[in-house]
Amino acid sequence: NKLFSNIGVITGFGLSGRIRSTDTPEEGNLKLEVDTQRGKLDLECFIYGDEPYKLHIGNLKIGDTVKIVFYLLSGDGSLKKLDKKVQSLILDPDCKNNPYRGNIDYIASGQILRIYPYPNPDGTRDKMAKIYNRAILDCGIYVDTVIPKSVQIKVGDYIPIKGRLDAHILGKVN
């Protein structure tokens, strides 16, 4: 599946979460309880009708545990390194209770674990691939995000980044 051509890159960075509620079967927000190293974390994420989601959602219900990969969608070109080693994931106060954004925008601060090229398997994302790299950020949970190539960030740096938190369901945990 070309949509998830980079899943191999983030193998080992997926998490398990228990579904607490969902808006609609096709598109909307998903509330999850995620197991982290520090305990359980309640998150509200955006989820949409991509192919892996369509394959799995018909068999899922509230209370089911699923394997998830998180993506923080951001075009933030004003990234700066943090002086302190901070790991946090908080709701963006600018978006809280916004009827157009909902409670799915977060500020994630953490360590860059991996940087890799923006996937472009079929050549349709040439513009994105020229501007961005992908990165794995450890902000208490692992999130895949985009980092502008113009920003001097390297593996091991701590950064804050804002964006919409998306959850991609990879399958049900039996």
Side-chain angles (χ1 to χ4, degrees):
N1 185 332
K2 290 181 182 177
L3 181 64
F4 279 92
S5 62
N6 62 335
I7 288 295
V9 173
I10 57 178
T11 298
F13 292 102
L15 294 169
S16 294
R18 189 173 61 82
I19 296 175
R20 294 183 51 230
S21 72
T22 183
D23 284 351
T24 66
E26 290 84 26
E27 184 170 338
N29 292 357
L30 180 70
K31 290 183 181 176
L32 296 165
E33 179 182 86
V34 179
D35 295 320
T36 71
Q37 293 175 351
R38 296 185 204 150
K40 295 191 183 304
L41 181 65
D42 287 325
L43 296 173
E44 188 166 351
C45 315
F46 183 75
I47 192 155
Y48 55 91
D50 57 35
E51 284 306 310
Y53 178 68
K54 287 179 186 174
L55 290 173
H56 297 294
I57 198 64
N59 300 322
L60 297 177
K61 60 187 179 302
I62 292 173
D64 283 349
T65 301
V66 292
K67 186 78 168 172
I68 328 153
V69 173
F70 289 104
Y71 292 87
L72 190 70
L73 298 184
S74 175
D76 192 352
S78 61
L79 291 177
K80 296 178 184 158
K81 294 180 199 176
L82 294 171
D83 293 332
K84 297 179 181 178
K85 295 180 177 182
V86 176
Q87 280 187 325
S88 65
L89 183 65
I90 59 170
L91 278 173
D92 184 346
D94 294 337
C95 296
K96 191 171 183 166
N97 299 317
N98 179 329
Y100 299 103
R101 294 300 297 168
N103 290 326
I104 57 172
D105 280 15
Y106 288 82
I107 301 170
S109 298
Q111 184 181 28
I112 298 290
L113 300 179
R114 186 179 296 168
I115 297 174
Y116 60 99
Y118 196 96
N120 192 18
D122 56 7
T124 59
R125 297 180 178 166
D126 284 340
K127 184 177 179 182
M128 295 295 284
K130 287 178 186 171
I131 298 171
Y132 295 104
N133 281 320
R134 301 295 299 232
I136 302 296
L137 179 72
D138 181 358
C139 59
I141 64 170
Y142 300 118
V143 294
D144 188 348
T145 191
V146 293
I147 304 288
K149 288 182 177 182
S150 61
V151 177
Q152 298 300 312
I153 301 291
K154 63 185 183 311
V155 171
D157 288 343
Y158 282 76
I159 63 165
I161 191 165
K162 293 169 79 168
R164 184 183 81 195
L165 188 64
D166 283 14
H168 290 264
I169 296 174
L170 301 180
K172 187 175 177 178
V173 176
N174 295 328

